[in-house]
Amino acid sequence: MSASNVTREAHTHHAFSEIVAHMIGHESAAEAQPRRHPVGVAVTAGLLRLSLGWVFLWAFLDKLLGLGFATPAERAWVEGGSPTTGFLAGAEGTFSGLFNSMSGHAWADWLFMTGLLGIGLSLMLGVFTRLAAASGAVLMVLMWAAALPLDNNPFMDDHLVYAGVLVLLALLGAGRYLGLGASWERLSLVKRYAFLK
């Protein structure tokens, strides 16, 4: 193996190790201060975080109250409708049996709605951003799996793109930008348990 290959491999390993350490909160003492990003990156990350937060929060509100966008008033959760029935009962693909069996159960409705609300509020406020991003990415991947096989692409759709953007926002510490994340990260509990960032 040539010296340049060894150097490239070492740099790749170091970069990957930094990403993993950042995600689980094992920053070195030298990285105790939050990383600063250029203004354009910071503003874009903040706006993307707010946008995705609104996507989750709006889905919660529409399913809760039946605002007539994706959920008609008569199928609202407050009117006794099931927020999981439409999407999960309509799954017809690879994992349809699994998703159809979850459709309409109270535990699935509560888990789904609590997830939408928690992810949406966390992203909008910029607190618990890592947990919200991880939870949102898992939810997006599950929704992607419920839609398999895809009609218009062999494997890629907007659910996977959203999941990737959520992971990127967690890596960027996007809660600090246009949100409460900077103040949140100064709390002693959050300093002690970095996964709360």
Side-chain angles (χ1 to χ4, degrees), residues 15-26:
F16 181 73
S17 298
E18 278 189 359
I19 290 169
V20 171
H22 178 71
M23 285 300 291
I24 63 175
H26 290 128

Side-chain angles (χ1 to χ4, degrees), residues 83-92 95-105 107-109 112 142-143 146:
T84 59
T85 297
F87 187 74
L88 294 180
E92 298 176 349
F95 304 107
S96 60
L98 171 67
F99 291 110
N100 293 161
S101 70
M102 292 189 286
S103 171
H105 290 286
W107 66 266
D109 290 342
F112 180 61
L142 288 172
M143 292 176 79

Side-chain angles (χ1 to χ4, degrees), residues 21 25-34:
H26 290 128
E27 288 93 359
S28 64
E31 295 179 343
Q33 294 295 335

Side-chain angles (χ1 to χ4, degrees), residues 31 82-83 95 112 116 121 149 156 165 182:
E31 295 179 343
S82 169
F95 304 107
F112 180 61
L116 289 177
L121 285 177
M156 184 58 68
V165 172

Side-chain angles (χ1 to χ4, degrees), residues 52 56 119 123 132-134 136-137 140 161-171:
L52 282 174
F56 284 97
I119 294 164
L123 290 174
M140 289 292 109
V161 174
Y162 281 158
V165 172
L166 285 164
V167 170
L168 179 62
L169 292 177
L171 290 171

